[in-house]
Amino acid sequence: MAAKTDSFSSSHRRKEILRVVLAISLIIVGITHFIRPEQYARIVPPELPYPVGLVYISGFFEILGGIGLLIPVISVAAAWGIIALFIAVFPANINQALHSIPIDGIPHHPLLYWVRLPFQAVLIAWAWWYTRHPEEQPGTPDVMATIESQLNH
C-alpha cells in the first residue's frame, strides 16, 4: 500500500511541477506578445483583420490562462481556456509553416514550423491533463471547505 501511495505522490508531484512549467511558459510567451507584437502579427493569416490586435488578445489570454492554471479554484476553467486558445492560434501556426515566416528569436528552419504543428496536439493534451480530477489539485479541499462554510452561514 505504501508503494502505491508513494507512486501516487510522485506522479502527483510531477504533474504539479509540469503545471507550473506550463503556466510560466504561457505567461512568458504571453508577455512577449506585448513586447514584440509585430513578430507574431507576421504569422496571423492575412484573411484575419487587425493582426496586431489579435496578437494582443492572444497574449492577454495566454497570460490569463497561465495565471489561472496556478489558482486551484479556477484551474480547470483556465485549462479549458488554454485548450481553446491553442486551437484558436493554430491557423497562425499553419500560416507560418505554409509560408515559412520567420519570427526573431526562434530558429528559422521551415522543418521546425512543420514539426510545431503536431506539437500543438501535445500542448492541448498537456492542458487537458489539468481538467482531470480537479478535487486532487493543491488547495482545492481548503477552497471547497471555505465555500461550503460560506454557503452554510
Side-chain angles (χ1 to χ4, degrees), residues 52-94:
V52 172
L54 293 173
V55 168
Y56 287 141
I57 291 168
S58 64
F60 172 78
F61 282 107
E62 283 190 58
I63 294 166
L64 192 64
I67 292 168
L69 200 57
L70 297 172
I71 302 171
V73 73
I74 63 169
S75 64
V76 172
W80 282 114
I82 292 164
I83 291 167
L85 178 67
F86 287 152
I87 292 168
V89 301
F90 194 63
N93 297 338
I94 293 170

Side-chain angles (χ1 to χ4, degrees), residues 6-78:
D6 289 345
S7 174
F8 173 78
S9 177
S10 175
S11 173
H12 189 69
R13 188 172 26 260
R14 187 175 318 113
K15 182 177 181 180
E16 293 311 310
I17 289 169
L18 290 173
R19 176 194 309 271
V20 173
V21 168
L22 179 59
I24 290 172
S25 298
L26 286 166
I27 293 166
I28 290 170
V29 171
I31 290 169
T32 66
H33 282 61
F34 291 92
I35 295 172
R36 305 285 309 269
E38 72 285 350
Q39 294 296 312
Y40 294 99
R42 286 188 206 169
I43 67 172
V44 173
E47 301 80 15
L48 297 176
Y50 312 110
V52 172
L54 293 173
V55 168
Y56 287 141
I57 291 168
S58 64
F60 172 78
F61 282 107
E62 283 190 58
I63 294 166
L64 192 64
I67 292 168
L69 200 57
L70 297 172
I71 302 171
V73 73
I74 63 169
S75 64
V76 172

Side-chain angles (χ1 to χ4, degrees), residues 86-130:
F86 287 152
I87 292 168
V89 301
F90 194 63
N93 297 338
I94 293 170
N95 188 52
Q96 182 181 28
L98 287 173
H99 302 289
S100 190
I101 303 168
I103 292 179
D104 291 347
I106 297 175
H108 177 58
H109 194 286
L111 182 60
L112 289 176
Y113 304 145
W114 288 100
V115 169
R116 180 180 177 194
L117 296 179
F119 186 68
Q120 202 76 2
V122 173
L123 292 172
I124 289 169
W126 191 358
W128 180 79
W129 193 21
Y130 298 105

